């Protein structure tokens, strides 16, 4: 009894049976004598290992059933876009009466001929904006002031024999008004453009300037409104990029800055919501045309 090299047997030792059990040799299992481990064989009286145990399809962890959570496997092995529910889209659309609140204004269907030439075929147009009319405040004030000055000089020089000065004053007035007309035309051709891939600014009449920034490179964006800007609803946008040289950074006097901010942010972070809203609006428009 006991191990030959172990301590002598002591019937009063309470730990003798434990030491005797721990030092017993493990019997050798011969695979030719019967089924092996994994085929229903067992050691002693312990539970047998069976082929019924499924390590791939069952819960990943022992506590998974108690927590109520389960891992959902992706059958395609790739990214699955989130599903946009109808409740999430409800706040983005207006009903037929126009009474429900909208967070964004309706999107334009097609770009203007001025903008279409700068878009490539796979790019999706989201909107274009001219600068706020406050952008023309200085030229218009100068034109009004020049008109009053010309009227005053014409009355002052009418009773004097200085026709040459009157001619010069009229020519100066035409020059000022031509400059004002040039600034108005430049304002008309100046556009801020948003697509699903980038933001652009196109301006210039004779010399065209096109500046753009990909949305994926926009690291920070903000807009500021002065007290006058809050009263007249315009602001200045500042776009920060990861690059050193930025062709488009500050865009002044854009109308509806909060609306435009939501448009750009939604296009950057929730493009699926934009596509879902556009698809829903297209379906509703087709339904109305059919009715």
């Amino acid at each position: 009894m006991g191990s030959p090299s172990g301590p002598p047997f002591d019937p009063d030792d309470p730990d003798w049976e434990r030491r005797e059990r721990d030092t017993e040799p493990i019997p050798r299992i011969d695979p030719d004598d019967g089924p092996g481990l994994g085929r229903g064989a067992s050691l002693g009286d312990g539970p047998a290992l069976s082929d019924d145990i499924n390590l791939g399809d069952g819960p990943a962890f022992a506590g998974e059933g108690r927590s109520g959570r389960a891992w959902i496997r992706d059958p395609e092995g790739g990214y699955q876009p989130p599903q946009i529910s109808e409740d999430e889209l409800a706040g983005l659309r207006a009903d037929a009466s126009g009474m429900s609140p909208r967070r964004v204004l309706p999107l334009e269907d097609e770009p203007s001929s001025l903008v279409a030439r700068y878009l490539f075929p796979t790019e999706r147009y989201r909107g274009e904006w001219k600068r706020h009319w406050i952008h023309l405040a200085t030229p218009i004030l100068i034109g009004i002031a020049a008109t009053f000055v010309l009227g005053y000089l014409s009355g002052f020089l009418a009773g004097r024999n200085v026709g040459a000065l009157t001619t010069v004053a009229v020519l100066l007035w035409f020059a000022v008004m031509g400059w004002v007309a040039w600034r108005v035309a430049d304002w008309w051709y100046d556009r801020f453009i948003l697509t699903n891939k980038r933001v652009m600014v196109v301006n210039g009449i004779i010399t065209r300037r096109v500046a753009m920034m990909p949305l994926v490179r926009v690291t920070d964006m903000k807009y500021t409104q002065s007290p006058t800007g809050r009263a007249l609803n315009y602001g200045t946008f500042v776009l920060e990029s990861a690059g050193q040289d930025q062709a488009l950074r500050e865009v002044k006097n854009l109308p509806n800055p909060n609306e435009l901010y939501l448009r750009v942010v939604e296009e950057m972070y929730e493009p699926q919501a934009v596509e879902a809203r556009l698809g829903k609006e297209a379906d509703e428009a087709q339904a109305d045309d059919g009715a």
Side-chain angles (χ1 to χ4, degrees), residues 225-249:
Q225 282 185 291
S226 63
T228 306
R230 296 184 64 184
L232 300 178
N233 196 21
Y234 71 90
T236 298
F237 270 73
V238 178
L239 302 174
E240 297 290 346
S241 173
Q244 297 296 329
D245 297 330
Q246 301 177 18
L248 189 157
R249 184 179 185 274

Side-chain angles (χ1 to χ4, degrees), residues 42-265:
S42 62
L43 291 177
D45 298 332
L49 296 178
S50 172
D51 286 341
D52 296 336
I53 299 177
N54 191 341
L55 299 180
D57 298 334
F61 302 97
E64 183 174 338
R66 292 192 301 269
S67 65
R69 297 181 179 180
W71 292 96
I72 300 176
R73 299 190 177 196
D74 186 358
E76 301 296 333
Y79 171 75
Q80 296 294 323
Q83 299 296 326
I84 309 299
S85 66
E86 188 66 24
D87 294 337
E88 293 174 327
L89 294 176
L92 302 179
R93 299 192 306 269
D95 56 12
S97 61
M99 297 302 296
S100 61
R102 278 189 70 96
R103 191 165 57 86
V104 293
L105 297 177
L107 291 169
E108 294 82 0
D109 295 331
E110 297 292 337
S112 64
S113 59
L114 175 66
V115 173
R117 68 186 69 178
Y118 302 108
L119 304 180
F120 52 89
T122 59
E123 198 170 18
R124 298 191 177 183
Y125 170 80
R126 298 305 191 211
E128 61 184 271
W129 295 264
K130 294 191 294 290
R131 296 181 191 260
H132 195 270
W133 61 264
I134 199 68
H135 193 69
L136 298 174
T138 299
I140 291 176
L141 290 177
I142 291 176
I144 294 174
T147 302
F148 276 104
V149 170
L150 176 64
Y152 174 79
L153 288 177
S154 299
F156 178 78
L157 298 175
R160 295 171 175 80
N161 190 14
V162 285
L165 291 179
T166 303
T167 302
V168 170
V170 171
L171 292 177
L172 288 177
W173 180 82
F174 274 110
V176 171
M177 297 308 294
W179 175 79
V180 171
W182 179 271
R183 292 295 303 271
V184 172
D186 185 69
W187 167 80
W188 177 260
Y189 288 104
D190 189 353
R191 305 293 172 91
F192 180 85
I193 307 160
L194 173 64
T195 71
N196 66 327
K197 297 182 181 296
R198 54 180 172 160
V199 292
M200 291 187 294
V201 171
V202 178
N203 55 18
I205 300 177
I206 298 177
T207 302
R208 301 293 290 170
R209 294 178 295 273
V210 180
M212 77 96 178
M213 181 182 295
L215 291 177
V216 295
R217 294 189 58 189
V218 177
T219 58
D220 189 19
M221 182 180 66
K222 65 179 181 180
Y223 73 91
T224 58
Q225 282 185 291
S226 63
T228 306
R230 296 184 64 184
L232 300 178
N233 196 21
Y234 71 90
T236 298
F237 270 73
V238 178
L239 302 174
E240 297 290 346
S241 173
Q244 297 296 329
D245 297 330
Q246 301 177 18
L248 189 157
R249 184 179 185 274
E250 185 177 85
V251 186
K252 297 181 177 179
N253 301 329
L254 287 177
N256 302 318
N258 188 67
E259 155 73 14
L260 186 54
Y261 177 82
L262 292 176
R263 285 282 184 88
V264 177
V265 171

Side-chain angles (χ1 to χ4, degrees), residues 1-2 9-24:
M1 297 178 63
F9 170 69
D10 185 1
D12 296 332
D13 186 1
D15 298 331
W16 178 83
E17 292 183 359
R18 181 182 57 80
R19 290 198 304 271
E20 186 70 14
R21 183 175 64 253
D22 293 342
T23 56
E24 287 183 358

